């Protein structure tokens, strides 16, 4: 018997809400301190940082990005394609940056072997990001437990998932921070190729509650297109926000730089499940699968430090409008101009939008 259930609750994305302003004692944006302190449940580490994280995509989580971001107090999930030798020279050149990086890994035996050998050679790396496209894989908690046993003092980020019950599984298995997001990314096509996904602000609202109840932390991954989206993710309960596209196209980003015929410069940026990424790292797209990411060209944007100033300036300003430090504002207005406009034009869209909210079969 095929029993379909539809969750009728409306789910929210960043563009469906605005943050409500409130009285503030702050006289200037300069008074706002964006550094936050965290005590991690399983690694027992205490960390003070600005809770923004460069994504572990090979065009974003580069050593160059890590060096630039660490200077400003931000974090980098370094991608999984650097060798032991490359890690050793990075550690020698930027020893202070090791505090603000995690090393990424998948879950295959080969991935874990590589992870272990790098951590053996460069023990100062502060954390590990265990990242798979589908964090619902049955064996994922076991892999996390294994890595936790081997590295009791490293902060472990694990993902991606989008629902509370699995957030709980991953934290109980040994993760400190659960990374959430399925298909919201700027170069994601997972929702198109598979029909699976979950609106990202609702993911954050629902999953942060579960994580925090257990003493764990949450990282919102994907879908932030501007500083305001980051503010909304943090306001919704995310302890950390991971950025891909917002950091693409800079000197510190990977990807090929190209000058177009009209003289403008562009850099390539692609999903880690795109044909480009698979050809680069695996040699080809395996016959049983399809790409779940796309490849784009983004305008070349120079030094990432200017973009960081824009992002951090926006967040400081959020704090002054809401009279609250980072992570302490949480009054959203659900207005969704796009959603209601659509509804006016077509009453059926209202129903379809509700159906979209969440649908599962058993
Ligand atoms: N947040 C999101 O919505 C999504 C994120 N992604 C990102 O893209 C990355 C790559 O995703 P996936 O390619 O789905 O792999 P994955 O990292 O989830 O890997 C799953 C398993 O398949 C293996 N594998 C991957 N590509 C293969 C290939 N071409 N041939 C044979 N085996 C292969 C891997 O070694 C691994 O054991 C993820 O790690 C994630 O960072 C991908 C899709 C969705
Ligand atoms: O469906 C996907 N196919 C892909 O090929 C892919 N590559 C990256 N990612 C995810 O997107 C996040 C970055 O998102 P933004 O660019 O929106 O910041 C990243 O941090 C990932 O979680 C992918 N998702
Ligand atoms: K990722």
């Amino acid at each position: 018997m095929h029993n379909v259930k539809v969750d009728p609750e409306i789910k929210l994305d960043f563009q469906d809400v605005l943050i409500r302003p409130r009285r503030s004692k702050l006289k200037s944006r300069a008074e706002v301190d964006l550094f936050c302190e965290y005590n991690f449940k399983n690694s027992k580490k205490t960390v003070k940082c600005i809770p923004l994280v460069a994504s572990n995509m090979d065009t974003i989580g580069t050593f160059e990005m890590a060096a630039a971001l660490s200077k400003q107090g931000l974090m980098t999930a370094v991608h999984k394609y650097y060798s032991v030798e490359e890690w050793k020279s990075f550690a020698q050149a930027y020893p202070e940056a090791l505090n603000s990086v995690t090393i990424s890994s998948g879950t295959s035996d080969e991935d874990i072997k590589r992870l272990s050998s790098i951590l053996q050679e460069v023990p100062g790396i502060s954390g590990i990001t265990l990242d798979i496209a589908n964090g619902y894989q049955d064996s994922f908690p076991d892999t996390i437990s294994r890595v936790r046993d081997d590295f009791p003092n490293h902060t472990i980020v694990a993902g991606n998932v989008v629902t509370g019950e699995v957030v709980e599984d991953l934290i109980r298995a040994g993760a400190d921070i659960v990374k959430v997001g399925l298909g919201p990314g700027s170069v994601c096509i997972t929702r198109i190729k598979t029909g699976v996904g979950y609106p990202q602000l609702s993911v954050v609202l629902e999953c942060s509650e579960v994580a925090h109840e257990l003493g764990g932390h949450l990282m919102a991954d994907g879908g932030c297109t501007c500083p305001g989206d980051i503010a909304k993710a943090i306001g919704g309960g995310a302890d950390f926000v991971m950025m891909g596209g917002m950091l693409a196209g800079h000197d510190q980003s990977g990807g090929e730089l190209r000058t177009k015929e009209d003289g403008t410069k562009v850099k390539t940026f692609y999903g880690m499940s795109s044909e480009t990424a698979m050809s680069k790292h695996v040699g080809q797209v395996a016959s049983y699968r399809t790409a779940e990411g796309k490849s784009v060209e983004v305008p070349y944007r120079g030094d990432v430090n200017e973009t960081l100033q824009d992002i951090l300036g926006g967040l400081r300003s959020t704090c002054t409008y809401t009279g609250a430090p980072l992570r302490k504002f949480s009054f959203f207005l659900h207005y969704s101009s796009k959603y209601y406009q659509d509804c006016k034009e077509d009453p059926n869209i209202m129903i379809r939008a509700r159906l979209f909210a969440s649908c599962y079969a058993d």
Side-chain angles (χ1 to χ4, degrees):
M1 190 55 190
H2 187 66
N3 225 332
V4 177
K5 290 185 198 137
V6 177
D7 180 347
E9 214 176 283
I10 289 178
K11 302 293 175 187
L12 301 171
D13 250 317
F14 298 128
Q15 71 268 24
D16 297 327
V17 303
L18 285 171
I19 299 166
R20 188 188 198 285
R22 312 190 84 203
R23 281 193 206 92
S24 170
K25 285 197 172 63
L26 294 162
K27 290 194 189 68
S28 156
R29 292 171 173 91
E31 288 176 22
V32 177
D33 180 9
L34 295 177
F35 279 81
C36 300
E37 197 175 284
Y38 301 91
N39 295 302
F40 293 121
K41 178 185 171 91
N42 293 310
S43 72
K44 308 289 179 212
K45 268 197 175 157
T46 299
V47 166
K48 201 173 173 188
C49 65
I50 296 179
L52 305 185
V53 187
S55 169
N56 56 329
M57 302 168 80
D58 67 356
T59 50
I60 305 295
T62 62
F63 283 145
E64 294 80 2
M65 191 66 78
L69 265 55
S70 86
K71 268 200 199 123
Q72 303 238 26
L74 284 71
M75 314 289 288
T76 299
V78 175
H79 68 69
K80 68 178 185 185
Y81 299 102
Y82 286 119
S83 66
V84 182
E85 291 314 313
E86 287 169 313
W87 267 103
K88 277 161 71 178
S89 19
F90 172 70
Q92 213 157 36
Y94 301 97
E96 69 296 332
L98 293 181
N99 278 327
S100 56
V101 302
T102 61
I103 174 173
S104 301
S105 175
T107 53
S108 67
D109 290 343
E110 199 184 320
D111 282 333
I112 301 293
K113 233 168 79 192
R114 197 195 125 270
L115 172 73
S116 302
S117 60
I118 292 172
L119 285 175
Q120 207 151 37
E121 295 286 337
V122 191
I125 297 171
S126 77
I128 300 165
T129 294
L130 291 174
D131 175 47
I132 52 175
N134 178 7
Y136 287 79
Q137 264 173 38
D138 244 3
S139 56
F140 196 32
D142 283 344
T143 309
I144 296 171
S145 300
R146 233 172 79 208
V147 175
R148 170 52 72 210
D149 287 345
D150 290 349
F151 303 99
N153 306 316
H154 281 73
T155 300
I156 297 180
V157 184
N160 277 17
V161 297
V162 288
T163 48
E165 78 279 6
V166 195
V167 169
E168 177 165 354
D169 293 344
L170 305 193
I171 291 173
R172 292 204 190 283
D176 295 291
I177 305 170
V178 174
K179 191 154 76 73
V180 291
L182 216 171
S186 56
V187 283
C188 282
I189 52 172
T190 295
R191 292 175 183 181
I192 295 167
K193 287 294 176 82
T194 69
V196 180
Y198 210 111
Q200 183 71 348
L201 180 60
S202 284
V203 170
V204 169
L205 291 165
E206 294 168 22
C207 292
S208 61
E209 216 176 292
V210 176
H212 294 159
E213 227 160 74
L214 295 166
H217 289 87
L218 196 86
M219 185 179 294
D221 174 20
C224 288
T225 59
C226 55
D229 289 346
I230 295 174
K232 290 172 188 177
I234 295 173
D239 301 290
F240 295 86
V241 177
M242 179 170 263
M243 302 175 284
M246 286 181 72
L247 299 179
H250 297 92
D251 292 332
Q252 292 85 350
S253 322
E256 200 184 318
L257 181 65
R258 185 172 80 86
T259 306
K260 297 207 298 190
E261 271 164 31
D262 64 4
T264 54
K265 289 182 175 169
V266 291
K267 255 190 155 178
T268 45
F269 173 51
Y270 48 83
M272 292 314 292
S273 181
S274 65
E275 210 178 312
T276 311
M278 284 190 270
S279 312
K280 191 166 171 192
H281 300 297
V282 194
Q284 85 278 333
V285 181
S287 61
Y288 57 86
R289 62 169 295 168
T290 171
E292 282 178 36
K294 60 183 173 184
S295 190
V296 296
E297 284 188 323
V298 297
Y300 167 64
R301 292 196 280 164
D303 192 329
V304 76
N305 281 295
E306 278 180 37
T307 298
L308 291 183
Q309 193 179 331
D310 180 55
I311 295 171
L312 301 183
L315 290 180
R316 285 192 194 94
S317 203
T318 308
C319 295
T320 63
Y321 281 118
T322 55
L326 206 57
R327 295 163 79 217
K328 290 281 189 286
F329 52 84
S330 51
F331 292 89
F332 287 125
L333 302 172
H334 175 203
Y335 81 106
S336 184
S337 57
K338 186 180 171 302
Y339 176 66
Y340 286 113
Q341 208 139 22
D342 287 349
C343 292
K344 259 189 273 165
E345 281 161 24
D346 178 358
N348 286 327
I349 286 183
M350 176 72 104
I351 297 156
R352 264 186 267 135
R354 280 170 188 270
L355 284 174
F356 171 66
S358 171
C359 179
Y360 41 93
D362 57 20

